[in-house]
């Protein structure tokens, strides 16, 4: 029977699979792996005092064994733990939702600025919509930034994703002013909200072309993250966005703002399509690596 300490087992596991782990989990150091394992153990109510000195016997019932089995399949760490850090909080994630990305935090920062501008020029309750909310990470992070009440709406075409967003809203409700609200709506883009008006609309929609862009998608992403969150059909890609832009334009107040994340190779073209809908200004903005990453449009 194997009776190594968990620390020795983890060290050996890391050394024996260093290339595989580097490919599957870029930048994962041995220390970070141990930190993740400790967090995971804590969540599973394993006693973590002297965790790495304790004896480890692999077994089907041991949650630690599940952790290492998942690593062997290159399963994303966030799905293993069921949690992902984003902006100022930790969000629940399941394989039904995209793991929120660092670059999307820029979208939150910019949308906070857009909402702040409205709070400076209007005493009305500001109404904000997030299209394709997934885990709810964007809209919940935004709500956390305002003491003044915000009326927020978020849509998704995945019922499973909306359940995760609901759970995150419940878990993080104490970080949001009591007077603010979040309505989660199951619909295609914003179809069931066509009679509503918003000051700011944000979105991180699926934006990878299913065929054209697929070869550039990391294997781990393609294998485990929901395709509904990632891909759109090549043939109807532009039309999908034109339809979205029309719905957004129709539902913004005058001078209302739209901020959308997109694919660096397609944003210039989408910005032209957006301009044709009748927005007064449309800009393409870059992320911290200077890649085209967002469209900002004003009605
Ligand atoms: C790229 S993910 C973004 C998730 C989350 N907003 C984030 O930034 O982490 C896109 C989301 O849009 C949803 N989605 C895909 N097609 C949609 C549609 N037609 N209408 C509404 N939501 C859609 C997916 O289910 C997914 O949750």
């Amino acid at each position: 029977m194997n009776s190594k300490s968990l620390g020795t087992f983890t060290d050996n596991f890391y050394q024996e699979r260093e290339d595989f782990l580097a490919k599957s989990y870029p930048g994962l150091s041995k220390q970070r792996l141990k930190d993740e394992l400790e967090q995971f153990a804590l969540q599973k109510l394993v006693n973590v005092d002297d965790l790495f000195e304790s004896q480890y016997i692999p077994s089907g019932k041991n949650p630690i064994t599940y952790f290492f089995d998942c690593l062997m399949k290159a399963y994303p760490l966030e799905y293993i733990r069921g949690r992902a850090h984003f902006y100022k909080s930790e969000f629940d994630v399941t394989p039904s939702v995209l793991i929120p990305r660092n670059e999307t935090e820029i979208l939150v920062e910019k949308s906070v600025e857009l909402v702040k501008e409205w709070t400076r020029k209007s005493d009305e309750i500001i109404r904000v919509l997030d299209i394709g909310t997934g885990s709810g990470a964007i809209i919940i992070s935004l709500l956390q930034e305002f003491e003044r009440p915000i009326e927020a709406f978020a849509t998704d075409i995945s019922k499973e994703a909306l359940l995760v967003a609901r759970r995150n809203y419940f878990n993080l409700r104490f970080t949001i002013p009591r007077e603010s609200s979040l309505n989660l709506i199951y619909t295609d883009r914003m179809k069931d909200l066509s009679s509503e008006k918003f000051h700011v609309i944000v979105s991180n929609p699926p934006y990878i072309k299913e065929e054209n862009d697929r070869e550039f998608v990391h294997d781990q992403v393609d294998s485990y993250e929901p395709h509904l969150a990632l891909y759109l059909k090549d043939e109807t890609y532009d039309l999908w966005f034109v339809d979205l832009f029309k719905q957004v334009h129709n539902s913004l107040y005058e001078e209302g703002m739209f901020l959308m994340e997109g694919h660096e190779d397609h944003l210039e073209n989408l910005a032209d399509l957006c301009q044709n809908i009748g927005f007064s200004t449309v800009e393409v903005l870059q992320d911290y690596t200077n890649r085209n990453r967002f469209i900002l449009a004003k009605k």
Side-chain angles (χ1 to χ4, degrees):
M1 187 179 289
N2 186 345
S3 62
K4 286 181 197 136
S5 72
L6 181 60
T8 305
F9 183 91
T10 309
D11 289 345
N12 291 347
F13 182 93
Y14 190 87
Q15 267 140 28
E16 285 162 16
R17 296 167 184 82
E18 208 161 352
D19 290 345
F20 169 77
L21 291 173
K23 190 165 160 278
S24 308
Y25 305 95
L28 180 74
S29 64
K30 201 197 300 177
Q31 187 53 50
R32 162 102 195 277
L33 176 63
K34 286 184 167 175
D35 292 345
E36 289 284 342
L37 178 52
E38 190 169 351
Q39 280 292 327
F40 174 81
L42 203 56
Q43 282 172 223
K44 297 289 172 196
L45 302 179
V46 172
N47 181 3
V48 294
D49 294 339
D50 304 323
L51 179 69
F52 290 102
E53 283 75 51
S54 65
Q55 192 192 42
Y56 171 57
I57 302 170
S59 102
K61 288 188 188 135
N62 188 340
I64 304 283
T65 304
Y66 169 80
F67 183 91
F68 285 112
D69 285 351
C70 286
L71 289 184
M72 301 280 284
K73 295 179 198 147
Y75 198 50
L77 288 166
E78 289 84 352
Y79 289 150
I80 301 178
R81 285 214 297 116
R83 301 267 176 86
H85 288 288
F86 180 79
Y87 201 67
K88 296 183 179 171
S89 299
E90 193 161 78
F91 289 83
D92 279 5
V93 290
T94 71
S96 298
V97 299
L98 188 93
I99 298 164
R101 303 294 204 269
N102 291 342
E103 59 267 27
T104 306
E105 294 177 341
I106 305 175
L107 185 137
V108 173
E109 284 164 11
K110 290 189 187 301
S111 47
V112 167
E113 284 308 310
L114 299 176
V115 174
K116 273 194 184 145
E117 272 175 40
W118 272 106
T119 60
R120 283 195 280 267
K121 67 183 181 189
S122 168
D123 291 331
E124 289 172 34
I125 291 189
I126 307 303
R127 291 166 61 89
V128 183
L129 168 66
D130 172 24
I131 301 170
T133 198
S135 61
I138 294 174
I139 195 72
I140 293 170
S141 299
L142 185 134
L143 283 173
Q144 288 173 338
E145 293 294 306
F146 290 93
E147 283 176 21
R148 198 173 128 171
I150 305 286
E151 195 174 3
F153 295 77
T155 70
D156 209 290
I157 204 163
S158 157
K159 285 187 177 165
E160 295 78 15
L162 285 169
L163 274 178
V164 177
R166 188 171 302 286
R167 200 158 78 204
N168 281 317
Y169 182 50
F170 180 81
N171 289 344
L172 293 167
R173 190 72 187 86
F174 71 97
T175 65
I176 296 168
R178 191 187 290 264
E179 298 76 21
S180 288
S181 60
L182 174 60
N183 305 285
L184 295 161
I185 296 150
Y186 169 64
T187 190
D188 179 1
R189 283 156 283 183
M190 52 175 302
K191 284 213 160 68
D192 292 342
L193 292 170
S194 57
S195 56
E196 303 282 349
K197 287 280 183 226
F198 301 97
H199 298 88
V200 174
I201 300 181
V202 297
S203 184
N204 176 19
Y207 57 68
I208 302 169
K209 288 191 180 176
E210 200 170 39
E211 285 173 30
N212 188 62
D213 304 331
R214 188 115 176 213
E215 62 177 301
F216 305 108
V217 177
H218 195 287
D219 281 350
Q220 191 188 47
V221 174
D222 186 63
S223 302
Y224 295 119
E225 300 208 50
H227 284 197
L228 192 57
L230 300 172
Y231 297 115
L232 290 174
K233 291 203 179 316
D234 297 36
E235 317 80 77
T236 46
Y237 191 86
D238 285 1
L239 262 177
W240 194 93
F241 281 101
V242 168
D243 195 16
L244 171 70
F245 298 154
K246 283 183 181 161
Q247 293 177 45
V248 167
H249 188 265
N250 178 50
S251 294
L252 280 174
Y253 287 117
E254 284 308 313
E255 301 193 355
M257 303 296 294
F258 174 52
L259 180 64
M260 184 190 90
E261 188 170 322
H263 193 292
E264 60 172 321
D265 296 342
H266 311 313
L267 275 180
E268 295 280 1
N269 175 48
L270 291 183
D272 289 344
L273 296 173
C274 191
Q275 187 80 69
N276 292 342
I277 303 295
F279 285 89
S280 65
T281 61
V282 179
E283 285 173 80
V284 175
L285 308 178
Q286 283 76 39
D287 60 19
Y288 293 133
T289 61
N290 272 335
R291 293 198 176 93
N292 284 348
R293 181 63 65 197
F294 309 101
I295 283 179
L296 176 63
K298 181 176 188 178
K299 181 157 171 178

